[in-house]
Amino acid sequence: MADLEIRDLTVQVEEKVILKGANLTLDKGEVHALMGPNGSGKSTLANVLMGNPFYQVVKGEVLYKGQDLLAMSPDERARRGLFIAFQYPVSIPGVTMSSFLRTAVSARRGFDKELMPVGEFQKLLKQKLDELREKKRVEILQMAMLEPEIAIMDETDSGLDIDSVKVVADGVNRMLAQAKGNLGILLITHYSRILHFIKPSYVHVMFDGRFVVSGGPDLAEELEQSGYEGIKAQFEVIAAEVQAEGAVRRAGKVFWVAH
């Protein structure tokens, strides 16, 4: 059984269905890149995995280490080693980053009734800062401090210039190397440029709430050259065939899984 297994996941917001039967397996030691045009459902998947109550799971299941992830509260998911780097992180007035990190790391490491000693925390914080040389993306520092087993990076590269993308990628690669196979990453991105620096094990493309293409790192290179239009055209053909005949079809590289 995979460390993270998504089965036939259907999700809606209010009356709109966004995910329409998503399936994915991810193990520690792997980097899965999830690509697709805006509005395809990538960030919805990330929010559901971390327990955002705004999204309603209509059908399907998500297993984390063999247990029902959807039955866990967001803080329980984080304690068990799941992490998300948000596309648009929100600041909380009155909460310093140091205070937040100390509280979060204490919870992750099992300090139930008290926080990690200040000296121990500061030593860890300095160590991670020195390792990462991270000045531009606080989410990567949080990820390093919490040492997750499965990390979801929701378009962390959005809005960054190329130098900042390299900084983020360098920090992630250092964490992957130090984890020695104990860290898996779901890297959600709209563009392939970060994949020049973080080499994925697998690349998936999402359209209209479904995974429609999966492949190796070469798939990201192909998308960089041709864009999403070719895959979109294949997807529209296969969607029309399925709607008309109700059967599983394949058009070029695009697949349609019946549920």
Side-chain angles (χ1 to χ4, degrees):
M1 179 174 290
D3 291 301
L4 181 66
E5 188 167 357
I6 301 168
R7 299 177 179 173
D8 194 19
L9 189 62
T10 301
V11 174
Q12 69 180 37
V13 174
E14 297 178 344
E15 300 300 319
K16 182 179 181 180
V17 178
I18 300 177
L19 295 184
K20 302 175 181 178
N23 292 274
L24 180 70
T25 58
L26 189 156
D27 278 311
K28 288 183 291 186
E30 298 176 345
V31 177
H32 288 242
L34 176 55
M35 305 182 69
N38 291 330
S40 57
K42 305 185 302 297
S43 292
T44 293
L45 178 62
N47 276 276
V48 171
L49 292 177
M50 286 310 300
N52 187 331
F54 183 69
Y55 299 86
Q56 180 185 354
V57 176
V58 177
K59 180 183 176 184
E61 61 181 349
V62 181
L63 300 178
Y64 179 55
K65 301 181 186 178
Q67 297 185 327
D68 184 3
L69 181 73
L70 301 178
M72 302 177 193
S73 63
D75 71 296
E76 184 179 0
R77 301 179 197 198
R79 289 173 188 268
R80 290 177 181 240
L82 208 63
F83 173 86
I84 184 168
F86 292 103
Q87 181 179 359
Y88 301 111
V90 178
S91 62
I92 303 175
V95 179
T96 65
M97 179 54 61
S98 178
S99 175
F100 165 76
L101 282 175
R102 186 180 172 208
T103 301
V105 172
S106 298
R108 172 79 174 107
R109 297 196 172 198
F111 288 81
D112 293 327
K113 296 183 179 180
E114 58 185 15
L115 296 179
M116 174 186 286
V118 173
E120 183 180 348
F121 169 75
Q122 289 179 340
K123 181 179 178 181
L124 177 65
L125 179 60
K126 184 178 185 304
Q127 173 194 335
K128 297 299 182 182
L129 284 170
D130 289 343
E131 289 173 355
L132 291 174
R133 295 177 286 119
E134 175 59 54
K135 302 295 184 183
K136 300 179 182 178
R137 298 296 285 186
V138 173
E139 302 98 304
I140 304 305
L141 174 60
Q142 293 176 28
M143 182 173 161
M145 292 288 290
L146 292 172
E147 297 179 347
E149 295 178 45
I150 299 293
I152 304 156
M153 300 179 64
D154 184 15
E155 300 198 31
T156 310
D157 56 331
S158 178
L160 298 184
D161 59 30
I162 191 64
D163 290 333
S164 297
V165 169
K166 289 178 180 179
V167 169
V168 167
D170 182 61
V172 172
N173 286 329
R174 285 171 181 267
M175 282 182 269
L176 284 167
Q178 292 170 357
K180 298 179 179 179
N182 289 314
L183 170 62
I185 294 178
L186 178 60
L187 177 56
I188 299 171
T189 183
H190 185 70
Y191 302 104
S192 62
R193 63 177 184 171
I194 194 170
L195 302 182
H196 290 288
F197 309 107
I198 302 174
K199 297 302 180 183
S201 313
Y202 305 95
V203 176
H204 312 278
V205 179
M206 180 173 276
F207 266 95
D208 192 31
R210 296 174 180 268
F211 289 89
V212 298
V213 181
S214 293
D218 59 316
L219 179 55
E221 297 294 332
E222 181 180 332
L223 288 171
E224 186 173 30
Q225 297 298 321
S226 61
Y228 293 110
E229 288 305 312
I231 290 177
K232 182 180 179 181
Q234 294 175 32
F235 175 78
E236 289 173 349
V237 168
I238 198 171
E241 290 181 351
V242 170
Q243 185 175 12
E245 302 178 22
V248 177
R249 289 284 186 273
R250 179 179 292 271
K253 290 189 174 184
V254 174
F255 56 81
W256 186 290
V257 180
H259 302 288

